[in-house]
Amino acid sequence: LRNGYGFIYYPHNNLYFHISFLEEGTNFEDLEEEDTVQFYITTNESDQEIAKGVRLLKTPIPKAER
C-alpha cells in the first residue's frame, strides 16, 4: 500500500486497486497489509483484472472460506 494504490492477494494473481476504487466510507489510510477486504473483479483498458468496490471487512473471513 503506497501512493494511493495497492495490491490484493487473490489466488493465481495479485489484483491492483487504486484509491479511487474504494467503497464510500473506506479510508485508504485505514488499510494495512493482511487486512481482509471485500471487492469485485473487473478489467481495465488493457484487459487486465483489477479490484474495484474495495472495502475493509471488520470481521475477517476464516481462511477455509477464502
Side-chain angles (χ1 to χ4, degrees):
L1 298 169
R2 66 171 95 162
N3 300 326
Y5 70 93
F7 293 89
I8 297 171
Y9 172 76
Y10 189 73
H12 311 294
N13 198 7
N14 286 324
L15 299 173
Y16 168 85
F17 75 94
H18 185 266
I19 192 171
S20 65
F21 302 163
L22 297 176
E23 281 287 309
E24 189 173 328
T26 300
N27 295 313
F28 188 78
E29 297 80 22
D30 293 338
L31 297 175
E32 297 180 13
E33 286 187 36
E34 302 292 323
D35 278 345
T36 302
V37 294
Q38 184 176 31
F39 57 94
Y40 66 90
I41 299 172
T42 188
T43 55
N44 63 14
E45 309 82 35
S46 301
D47 208 32
Q48 297 170 320
E49 290 185 332
I50 59 173
K52 283 197 171 182
V54 178
R55 73 179 183 99
L56 181 63
L57 293 179
K58 301 292 183 197
T59 306
I61 299 172
K63 287 186 179 184
E65 296 179 26
R66 291 184 201 171

